[in-house]
Amino acid sequence: MTKLAVYCGAAAGRDPAHLDAAHELGAIMAARGIDLVYGGGKLGLMGAIADAVLAAGGRVYGVIPSALVSHEVAHLGLTELHEVADMHQRKAKMTQLADGFLCLAGGIGTFDELFEAWTWNALGYHAKPFCLLNTAGYWDKFMAFCDHVRDEGFMSAARRDQLLSADTIEDALDRLEAAAAAAQDGPVW
């Protein structure tokens, strides 16, 4: 994996562990030679990870819709900043640029990005893996809900298994690398 899309909040959240994770992830990605693909903003966790990758000598590719350039305060110090027309183009461009996806803490924008990447994978549009970085148990209830959806018969076990999770950055990156190497094209029913 040479480019990783990271979905995360444009806010820092209440727990400082999330900001710490964004900084640490950025440094580790740069040390591993993994470029960052992200939403292009300079606020919150988004800005923290971009700044951490850049500070460690890595490359950062931002993708931001025109309408959000001023709202998210576009990060102008990136390796490349792609301005696109809307959120659909943002997610498509991030998917095109990245080899996999990692979700940190975030809100509805992060959920939207995760669900679209997962849906496209399930439909066979791409075979790129995705993982939740479960810092401070942030994703515990979401993963339990996904288990409930599977148990109720609205998601197959194979599709549920696609959603990787890890409590540490190193484990998350290792899981993504392994899943990328084992990925097969085609839908996951």
Side-chain angles (χ1 to χ4, degrees):
M1 214 173 4
T2 61
K3 288 185 180 176
L4 180 63
V6 175
Y7 302 141
C8 58
R14 288 188 206 154
D15 188 337
H18 299 299
L19 196 56
D20 292 343
H23 288 127
E24 184 181 355
L25 174 60
I28 291 172
M29 285 176 62
R32 284 191 176 201
I34 301 171
D35 296 344
L36 171 65
V37 175
Y38 86 118
K42 70 175 188 177
L43 301 176
L45 300 183
M46 292 174 66
I49 188 168
D51 289 342
V53 170
L54 292 167
R59 292 183 300 244
V60 179
Y61 302 89
V63 184
I64 192 165
S66 298
L68 296 180
V69 169
S70 62
H71 179 71
E72 288 186 1
V73 192
H75 196 308
L76 302 178
L78 306 179
T79 307
E80 288 181 19
L81 180 63
H82 301 270
E83 188 173 330
V84 295
D86 55 36
M87 288 298 289
H88 296 293
Q89 288 184 9
R90 177 195 231 179
K91 292 179 285 186
K93 183 68 172 178
M94 289 176 73
T95 299
Q96 175 193 5
L97 291 173
D99 301 316
F101 310 91
L102 182 61
C103 281
L104 279 62
I108 60 171
T110 302
F111 305 153
D112 175 56
E113 290 168 327
L114 169 64
F115 280 119
E116 189 144 332
W118 194 357
T119 300
W120 288 0
N121 184 289
L123 295 173
Y125 296 168
H126 70 78
K128 300 172 184 183
F130 39 93
C131 183
L132 305 173
L133 181 59
N134 196 26
T135 302
Y138 183 80
W139 294 106
D140 286 346
K141 292 178 183 177
F142 174 74
M143 290 185 293
F145 178 71
C146 289
D147 292 341
H148 170 72
V149 172
R150 178 202 57 217
D151 295 346
E152 288 292 319
F154 291 99
M155 181 188 310
S156 69
R159 190 169 291 163
R160 171 60 184 93
D161 290 345
Q162 286 183 301
L163 182 61
L164 305 173
S165 66
D167 294 333
T168 68
I169 292 166
E170 294 288 353
D171 189 32
L173 295 176
D174 291 344
R175 287 174 185 248
L176 284 166
E177 290 276 358
Q184 296 180 5
D185 290 331
V188 177
W189 301 112

